[in-house]
Amino acid sequence: MKLEKILDKLGSLEKNAFIKIIDNIISKKPKNSKEIEKILSSTDKGLKSVDNLNISNIFNLISDEFTEHVYSEFQEASSQLDILIDIIIRDGNCIMKQDWFSRLYETEIKNLKSKIKNLNSELENEKSELSESRKRDFRIYKACLSTAYNNDETNNREAKITSDELSIILTLSKQLGLSQEDVKLINYTILPIKKSDIQDVINNLKNLGVVFFSKKENTIYVADEMVRLLRTVRKKEVAEKFYRRTLKLLREPIINQIAKEHNIDRKLPLSQKVEEIIKEGISFTDLLSNEIYKPGITLTEKKKTLNELCEKGLNINNLKGSTLEDKISSLIEHFENVEKDEKVGISIDGFDKMLKELNESLPKLNKDLKVQFELQDEYVLSADFLLDYNIKPRDILDLIEKPDLTKFIKNHGIKQRGDDILNILEHYKDVENLYLENYENVGYRNLNILKENGILVKESELGLKFEELTKIIFKSLGFNVDEAFKSELNTQKDMMDIILNLGNNEIIIVECKTIKEKGYNKFSTVSRQLKSYQNLALKNNLRIVKILLVAPEFSDDFIYDCEMDTEMNLSLLTASTLSKIHDAFKTSKYQEFPHVLFRDIVINEERVIKALSK
């Protein structure tokens, strides 16, 4: 769930710790302080009176400083922050009831103690599967960590690991090629591990600013933006779902090779070995730099293998970068962009239909998703529910075994040639709803984003497409979009885009404008056009209840000129506002939108949505 949406759900007391930390960072003049000052200049009362969207924007501007703030907490040896962060950044753990989080925390501590016991046994056992070189690496790291932690007690100080010591220890672990799980296990053979009271754990995380806790709902929230930040802190370059997507493209001998290197049972089923590799916390960069290749392979062959993996498996053509490191960085950046994108590749309705039909074909899917993403709810196969957890259609399909996917495709008449997952996504795309979800992008004529979101359209068609979508929205709002009446009225000189026929010779005129540059600012041109339409309607004895101009956005100068105009009953309506009004109307009590709400110069979406909810 996005930070803005979480903040909207919470009271001021529940946001207080987070706001204080941001305020403290701002007071120290972060690198983006000029941009932050611009946001804060709109209010005299400081950060607490800034709206939630702008708090979210400010958080993004101070993400580096916030990361440093979290890093500093790792110096507290007893904080268990690595354990806790590893829980809350897992796919599906961004929204949790307190009792569910408590259960996950207890399980994590229990598993950790069991693994520590096994590791100590492996290190002492001469016949263990761990190679002598691996045992040597573990012992070196363990000895250095023990010295860093215990040298304080020798000097009659509290045992802790300083930031300098931590920096050296992290460098050592990297050079020894230890996975995150290796490091964590060895750390807790030295550091005391005990289960803390869950309320103390939540309060500590809340005071650190990394989670929000709603007492009313007894629920922990971790914002999508925070999950990405915490992943950086834990040196996890991609989300588990993208790691899994990549691993599932590898042949089993390669998976076995990785499993052997990290002491994972190679007799496990393939899907379970993949999950164990993910849990190991092996760096994604290390995986693609060294672990997926046969021994003795050349650098040129590595680059060729990675290119094929991206092009044939992940459908990413022309991976940027000339070196292997550059190519891996480009892939990580690609996954970051996919995760940040709020669009899901198919429409919400299409997603729901896909989930419904998957559930019918694969009755175990609901249970499998609950286990995989550690979800508490009984029924989880709902698009809105899964999207709150940032789980998208592709993430669901990645979890389904190949035979089950093949069976599902055959049963539902889905194209069988080519990539199974892409064919399923294409089948459920639901183009009209997908266009409506990208209404604002059509208005901005943003071809690249439209393409990324699964829409292929010519730039020359975007103006007409924006008009068509606006008609669909107004029809959904219960208006009579009267095409026949418009054809009667229009002349070769005056061609109105949309007429909403209210009956009794009353109409609303709607004009649609797309723009490439930010801020629609040609008021003089559009006002002449609209006055001409107004005169045409008046000549035909029509009463114009309202003229609406719909565009992605309007410049301040445009709004000012509109306010000064006394000849037209004109209101400005942004594409984003119209889209949100449309969504709110679907759940309102109204059968037809009360057009009296179109009364501002710039239509205020909050006021309209509030009125619809009454």
Side-chain angles (χ1 to χ4, degrees):
M1 191 179 285
K2 293 285 179 287
L3 177 58
E4 182 194 358
K5 191 172 178 182
I6 291 173
L7 293 171
D8 284 341
K9 293 172 75 74
L10 301 172
S12 57
L13 281 175
E14 293 162 333
K15 297 185 274 190
N16 204 29
F18 179 70
I19 299 294
K20 275 184 180 177
I21 293 165
I22 293 182
D23 226 348
N24 186 45
I25 291 172
I26 292 171
S27 70
K28 294 175 182 175
K29 299 292 179 187
K31 65 179 179 181
N32 291 321
S33 54
K34 285 184 179 177
E35 289 90 335
I36 294 167
E37 282 170 18
K38 284 180 187 174
I39 295 171
L40 293 176
S41 63
S42 61
T43 176
D44 299 326
K45 297 178 182 177
L47 192 62
K48 286 188 177 180
S49 60
V50 172
D51 64 40
N52 293 329
L53 174 60
N54 277 319
I55 289 175
S56 177
N57 291 335
I58 290 171
F59 175 75
N60 290 328
L61 290 168
I62 59 155
S63 60
D64 289 346
E65 289 82 3
F66 203 102
T67 302
E68 287 301 315
H69 156 72
V70 177
Y71 264 129
S72 67
E73 290 297 314
F74 271 94
Q75 292 178 46
E76 176 54 56
S78 61
S79 70
Q80 298 184 357
L81 204 53
D82 50 355
I83 298 172
L84 298 170
I85 288 178
D86 285 348
I87 294 172
I88 62 180
I89 64 173
R90 280 187 213 139
D91 298 331
N93 283 353
C94 57
I95 306 171
M96 294 177 282
K97 294 289 185 185
Q98 179 178 317
D99 64 327
W100 187 249
F101 177 54
S102 177
R103 203 177 306 175
L104 293 177
Y105 173 62
E106 285 178 21
T107 302
E108 195 76 8
I109 296 289
K110 186 179 176 183
N111 290 342
L112 194 56
K113 286 180 176 178
S114 173
K115 286 179 178 179
I116 289 168
K117 189 177 178 181
N118 289 338
L119 176 64
N120 287 331
S121 174
E122 288 284 312
L123 288 173
E124 292 167 7
N125 184 0
E126 291 182 7
K127 296 180 180 180
S128 77
E129 286 210 6
L130 280 176
S131 66
E132 285 305 314
S133 62
R134 205 70 185 141
K135 285 182 182 179
R136 176 178 170 275
D137 293 341
F138 285 175
R139 285 170 182 151
I140 290 171
Y141 179 79
K142 185 176 179 180
C144 292
L145 182 73
S146 178
T147 300
Y149 182 63
N150 292 313
N151 60 9
D152 291 309
E153 289 185 337
T154 308
N155 296 315
N156 203 26
R157 293 196 300 262
E158 183 189 353
K160 68 183 294 186
I161 296 173
T162 67
S163 57
D164 288 342
E165 287 170 338
L166 183 63
S167 175
I168 294 168
I169 291 292
L170 289 172
T171 303
L172 177 64
S173 69
K174 187 173 176 61
Q175 292 304 311
L176 291 173
L178 304 183
S179 72
Q180 276 206 333
E181 193 65 15
D182 295 333
V183 169
K184 191 160 74 173
L185 290 178
I186 298 170
N187 284 356
Y188 286 104
T189 62
I190 304 297
L191 309 179
I193 180 171
K194 60 179 182 178
K195 188 172 85 66
S196 301
D197 179 78
I198 198 63
Q199 198 58 57
D200 290 340
V201 170
I202 293 170
N203 285 336
N204 289 338
L205 289 173
K206 188 181 72 171
N207 292 333
L208 183 60
V210 298
V211 306
F212 297 97
F213 181 64
S214 168
K215 284 188 177 178
K216 182 181 174 184
E217 297 177 5
N218 203 30
T219 299
I220 296 160
Y221 294 97
V222 193
D224 294 343
E225 296 92 329
M226 187 64 73
V227 169
R228 288 193 289 273
L229 184 149
L230 294 176
R231 214 182 284 134
T232 303
V233 169
R234 293 294 288 136
K235 306 294 183 190
K236 294 191 175 183
E237 297 135 311
V238 297
E240 289 179 359
K241 57 189 179 184
F242 300 127
Y243 208 126
R244 182 180 299 108
R245 189 175 301 176
T246 307
L247 285 173
K248 288 187 80 172
L249 297 171
L250 304 176
R251 294 183 302 110
E252 189 159 8
I254 298 296
I255 294 293
N256 284 335
Q257 177 183 301
I258 300 167
K260 182 181 179 183
E261 180 66 20
H262 295 279
N263 200 29
I264 294 167
D265 187 355
R266 281 161 285 163
K267 294 175 186 174
L268 292 170
L270 178 60
S271 60
Q272 206 169 327
K273 280 182 284 196
V274 165
E275 295 306 320
E276 289 300 317
I277 289 169
I278 293 169
K279 286 176 188 173
E280 271 295 304
I282 303 161
S283 155
F284 192 66
T285 296
D286 286 349
L287 181 88
L288 298 183
S289 297
N290 306 303
E291 306 240 6
I292 66 169
Y293 310 106
K294 293 177 183 175
I297 193 171
T298 67
L299 183 59
T300 302
E301 288 171 323
K302 280 185 178 182
K303 287 196 279 188
K304 184 183 175 186
T305 301
L306 184 59
N307 281 335
E308 286 177 356
L309 182 77
C310 292
E311 288 171 15
K312 295 179 182 177
L314 297 168
N315 295 290
I316 306 167
N317 296 318
N318 303 317
L319 193 66
K320 289 186 290 184
S322 54
T323 67
L324 184 65
E325 291 77 13
D326 288 343
K327 288 179 181 294
I328 294 169
S329 294
S330 295
L331 180 57
I332 290 169
E333 186 183 347
H334 167 79
F335 283 141
E336 283 174 356
N337 291 334
V338 170
E339 189 180 14
K340 287 177 187 175
D341 188 0
E342 292 184 41
K343 304 302 177 188
V344 298
I346 64 178
S347 73
I348 306 297
D349 288 348
F351 191 8
D352 267 325
K353 186 180 179 190
M354 183 189 88
L355 290 169
K356 179 176 176 288
E357 294 184 355
L358 278 169
N359 190 41
E360 290 167 357
S361 290
L362 308 170
K364 286 172 59 185
L365 182 62
N366 185 67
K367 183 182 176 184
D368 290 345
L369 282 188
K370 282 184 63 179
V371 171
Q372 183 66 59
F373 294 117
E374 298 181 331
L375 301 169
Q376 186 176 9
D377 291 53
E378 278 307 310
Y379 186 77
V380 300
L381 294 176
S382 155
D384 286 336
F385 174 84
L386 291 172
L387 289 174
D388 274 344
Y389 289 83
N390 204 15
I391 299 169
K392 298 176 182 175
R394 175 72 193 252
D395 306 329
I396 305 295
L397 298 174
D398 279 337
L399 296 173
I400 300 172
E401 298 294 337
K402 178 79 173 172
D404 288 334
L405 273 185
T406 303
K407 174 188 167 187
F408 178 73
I409 284 168
K410 286 179 180 175
N411 289 349
H412 290 84
I414 298 167
K415 192 174 100 175
Q416 295 181 41
R417 274 190 179 180
D419 186 281
D420 287 347
I421 287 176
L422 293 183
N423 288 342
I424 292 171
L425 292 174
E426 183 65 31
H427 183 77
Y428 290 98
K429 189 177 275 186
D430 186 357
V431 175
E432 184 177 290
N433 276 312
L434 188 58
Y435 264 112
L436 285 171
E437 288 166 22
N438 282 274
Y439 179 56
E440 196 174 1
N441 289 325
V442 173
Y444 275 122
R445 308 182 74 85
N446 199 324
L447 281 171
N448 288 333
I449 291 181
L450 290 171
K451 186 179 178 183
E452 286 170 13
N453 292 336
I455 293 174
L456 297 177
V457 62
K458 294 177 183 174
E459 187 171 7
S460 58
E461 298 170 353
L462 288 173
L464 187 58
K465 179 56 70 176
F466 188 65
E467 185 182 317
E468 286 175 7
L469 294 172
T470 307
K471 287 176 186 174
I472 290 169
I473 291 172
F474 276 111
K475 282 180 184 174
S476 296
L477 292 173
F479 286 105
N480 175 13
V481 179
D482 201 331
E483 290 292 294
F485 192 36
K486 184 183 80 170
S487 297
E488 286 177 28
L489 288 175
N490 279 350
T491 66
Q492 286 187 334
K493 180 187 171 188
D494 296 314
M495 303 284 288
M496 290 178 272
D497 287 342
I498 301 170
I499 287 181
L500 308 180
N501 193 342
L502 305 178
N504 299 319
N505 288 331
E506 293 183 337
I507 63 168
I508 294 175
I509 298 172
V510 183
E511 182 68 12
C512 306
K513 296 292 182 187
T514 59
I515 51 169
K516 245 189 176 179
E517 70 280 0
K518 289 277 182 180
Y520 194 71
N521 55 15
K522 302 170 184 174
F523 185 78
S524 57
T525 305
V526 77
S527 65
R528 284 196 297 271
Q529 185 182 6
L530 293 175
K531 281 170 187 173
S532 185
Y533 296 164
Q534 179 176 266
N535 292 334
L536 177 64
L538 292 173
K539 281 180 188 175
N540 284 275
N541 299 316
L542 296 171
R543 178 176 173 265
I544 303 169
V545 171
K546 176 65 69 178
I547 299 175
L548 290 172
L549 180 60
V550 184
E553 64 174 273
F554 303 95
S555 69
D556 291 341
D557 288 343
F558 192 100
I559 294 169
Y560 176 79
D561 289 340
C562 182
E563 287 171 340
M564 293 299 103
D565 185 272
T566 57
E567 297 179 34
M568 291 185 292
N569 185 9
L570 175 62
S571 286
L572 309 179
L573 183 57
T574 66
S576 171
T577 294
L578 181 55
S579 187
K580 287 173 182 173
I581 288 171
H582 180 219
D583 289 339
F585 179 77
K586 290 176 188 174
T587 56
S588 75
K589 64 183 179 183
Y590 295 95
Q591 298 299 309
E592 185 178 326
F593 182 84
H595 61 77
V596 68
L597 294 176
F598 288 141
R599 57 173 172 258
D600 306 310
I601 295 295
V602 180
I603 303 300
N604 184 318
E605 68 182 55
E606 287 183 14
R607 186 182 59 73
V608 174
I609 290 169
K610 190 174 180 181
L612 288 174
S613 65
K614 284 184 177 178

